[in-house]
């Protein structure tokens, strides 16, 4: 049993707000919760997540192992010529 007067007040119907709209009701020690992201608008859960190579990781890998973009283009052209023969 919980000791009296040491626990915070419990709100079983606390409202969670995202962008000014109530998105769900949960139990909490605060009557209102304001969040920026929740599962209803997060790209991972909505299926709109895009993987973007912003750091140029592929190009850095190719440079590191001696495969510059000009070499890869030449290799692709050679492979294309071989299939035409």
């Amino acid at each position: 049993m919980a000791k009296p007067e040491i626990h915070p007040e419990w709100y079983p119907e606390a409202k969670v707000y995202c962008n000014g709209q109530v998105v769900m009701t949960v139990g909490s020690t605060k009557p209102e919760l304001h969040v920026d992201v929740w599962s209803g608008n997060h790209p991972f859960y909505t299926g709109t997540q895009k993987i973007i190579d912003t750091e140029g990781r592929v190009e850095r890998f190719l440079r590191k192992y001696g495969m510059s973009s000009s070499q890869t283009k030449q290799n692709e052209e050679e492979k294309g010529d071989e299939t035409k023969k």
Side-chain angles (χ1 to χ4, degrees):
M1 185 102 205
K3 291 184 179 181
E5 299 182 23
I6 66 166
H7 297 283
E9 186 176 350
W10 182 253
Y11 299 93
E13 297 293 321
K15 292 181 174 32
V16 179
Y17 292 91
C18 184
N19 296 328
Q21 297 178 349
V22 176
V23 293
M24 68 179 84
T25 304
V26 296
S28 177
T29 57
K30 295 185 178 189
E32 292 182 355
L33 300 169
H34 296 272
V35 296
D36 295 328
V37 178
W38 67 291
S39 61
N41 68 356
H42 191 279
F44 179 79
Y45 296 106
T46 59
T48 59
Q49 184 176 18
K50 296 179 184 177
I51 299 173
I52 300 173
D53 184 24
T54 57
E55 296 179 16
R57 293 179 184 166
V58 173
E59 289 79 16
R60 190 173 67 207
F61 174 83
L62 294 175
R63 277 190 312 238
K64 181 176 179 180
Y65 293 102
M67 297 180 237
S68 68
S69 60
S70 62
Q71 287 178 338
T72 55
K73 287 180 184 176
Q74 289 175 354
N75 290 342
E76 289 174 4
E77 290 174 0
E78 290 174 0
K79 287 179 184 177
D81 292 340
E82 291 174 3
T83 57
K84 291 179 184 178
K85 292 180 182 179

